[in-house]
Amino acid sequence: MLNILSVTFPFFALVLCGYLAARRRALPLEAIPGLNGFVLFFALPCMLYRFGATTPIGQLLDYAVFAVWLLCGLVMVGVAVAVTRNQRTSWNDASFGALVAAFPNTGFMGVPLLVALLGPLAAAPTIVGMLVDMVVTTSLCIALSRLDGADKHGMAVALKSALRGILTNPMPWAILLGGVASSLQLQLPGPLDKTVGLLADAASPVALFTIGAVLARSQILTEQSGHPPIPPRDYVPVALFKLVLHPLLVLLVGSAAIWLGVPLSRFALTVMVLAAALPSASNVSLLAERFGADNGRIARIILVSTAAAFLSFSAAVALMT
């Protein structure tokens, strides 16, 4: 356990550093979008491209990983909506609560952390799961969020906005280009390869620091809004779904798939379970704000899951490895 904590501690410590920097205003809140932009449009795509380009294309096209992760994501969305949808929680709020329960922080945290724990082979299953979450799960939850008519423009406009967000998100394109480079065995020219490498090396520390800063900013803005405190029953169960139910579901479904003869390796299943045990993706807060959901509730779910994951994720690693 101490060996595991020695690997996971620096990752969560960087999140805490970003949180404290924003809370203490050592990092101006106005600077956080710039950090987020650097990670999203420069550093993280370079890291994902490098992983994709150095991973055999067959591992990136693993349909067993895709199918198991998709099925579990759909079940998580259904369970979260069924449990949280009530007179106080609209379709809009329930849908984004479901997304934050089913979408782990694989981009900013998962890929570098799982590679550090399990080696370079852990990148491929993690990237496949991230593609499912970015394209399928996110689009489904945005569609569900329109069912109560929260947006006067209706579902069609929301779906177009979701599609535009997917197409303009550089991360899927970086993975695609990396996969093409892997299949064709292409190598970037030396100076360009070094530039990509420098940006890729910056992705993990800056992304983790930014997660903490984004969480602190969401908390500060919620406090300044003057709204009454959100009762714990509206966000703690969803955080528990993310940290406990999601990895358990992936373990059960993946084990059943292996028993039925699906060509899913035990190593890939381990990676998927640990990816599911990660805290909620911080970018869901930005989506919730864009579509008019209760972003204060979403931010609290992300904050609770991130804080609790320091122990719960380390425990999951100890049990699975």
Side-chain angles (χ1 to χ4, degrees):
M1 192 66 178
L2 289 177
N3 290 334
I4 294 169
L5 289 174
S6 69
V7 177
T8 59
F9 176 81
F11 287 82
F12 288 93
L14 283 175
V15 175
L16 179 61
C17 287
Y19 178 86
L20 293 176
R23 288 294 301 186
R24 302 279 182 169
R25 303 302 174 94
L27 176 71
L29 299 187
E30 296 78 13
I32 296 175
L35 276 178
N36 215 17
F38 171 76
V39 173
L40 180 61
F41 293 103
F42 293 93
L44 197 55
C46 288
M47 183 185 75
L48 294 175
Y49 172 85
R50 187 167 66 176
F51 278 127
T54 56
T55 301
I57 189 64
Q59 295 180 22
L60 295 175
L61 299 176
D62 192 332
Y63 75 88
V65 172
F66 182 94
V68 170
W69 190 264
L70 175 60
L71 176 59
C72 293
L74 295 177
V75 171
M76 285 299 301
V77 169
V79 170
V81 169
V83 171
T84 60
R85 174 81 175 92
N86 52 44
Q87 292 182 343
R88 294 183 300 106
T89 305
S90 65
W91 272 106
N92 198 18
D93 292 337
S95 298
F96 281 102
L99 180 58
V100 89
F103 195 162
N105 207 334
T106 44
F108 279 25
M109 179 181 288
V111 174
L113 178 53
L114 292 174
V115 168
L117 284 166
L118 303 174
L121 292 178
T126 310
I127 288 173
V128 172
M130 184 166 53
L131 280 173
V132 173
D133 290 330
M134 288 190 296
V135 178
V136 182
T137 311
T138 298
S139 299
L140 171 63
C141 289
I142 290 176
L144 291 175
S145 74
R146 304 299 93 193
L147 291 180
D148 57 5
D151 188 339
K152 65 181 179 181
H153 300 294
M155 186 180 294
V157 173
L159 291 177
K160 288 180 181 178
S161 179
L163 179 61
R164 184 168 59 250
I166 292 168
L167 294 177
T168 57
N169 186 341
M171 290 190 287
W173 294 109
I175 296 169
L176 177 62
L177 290 174
V180 171
S182 174
S183 63
L184 299 178
Q185 296 185 340
L186 296 177
Q187 181 69 33
L188 294 175
L192 181 57
D193 187 57
K194 290 182 179 179
T195 302
V196 170
L198 286 172
L199 286 169
D201 291 339
S204 179
V206 181
L208 294 167
F209 188 89
T210 303
I211 291 171
V214 168
L215 293 176
R217 182 186 62 176
S218 299
Q219 192 175 44
I220 291 170
L221 294 178
T222 301
E223 292 169 355
Q224 292 175 347
S225 67
H227 295 308
I230 302 171
R233 67 178 182 274
D234 284 352
Y235 59 89
V236 172
V238 181
L240 292 176
F241 286 170
K242 178 71 215 64
L243 297 179
V244 179
L245 180 60
H246 194 193
L248 182 60
L249 178 65
V250 172
L251 176 61
L252 293 175
V253 173
S255 298
I258 293 173
W259 183 76
L260 291 172
V262 176
L264 178 69
S265 70
R266 286 288 176 183
F267 177 79
L269 178 58
T270 297
V271 175
M272 294 167 66
V273 171
L274 295 182
L278 290 165
S280 301
S282 55
N283 64 305
V284 179
S285 176
L286 302 177
L287 283 173
E289 184 174 347
R290 180 187 303 174
F291 286 96
D294 186 352
N295 193 33
R297 172 175 172 263
I298 299 301
R300 284 181 180 272
I301 295 170
I302 298 171
L303 181 61
V304 170
S305 68
T306 303
F310 174 62
L311 293 178
S312 65
F313 178 80
S314 299
V317 174
L319 291 172
M320 293 298 299
T321 59

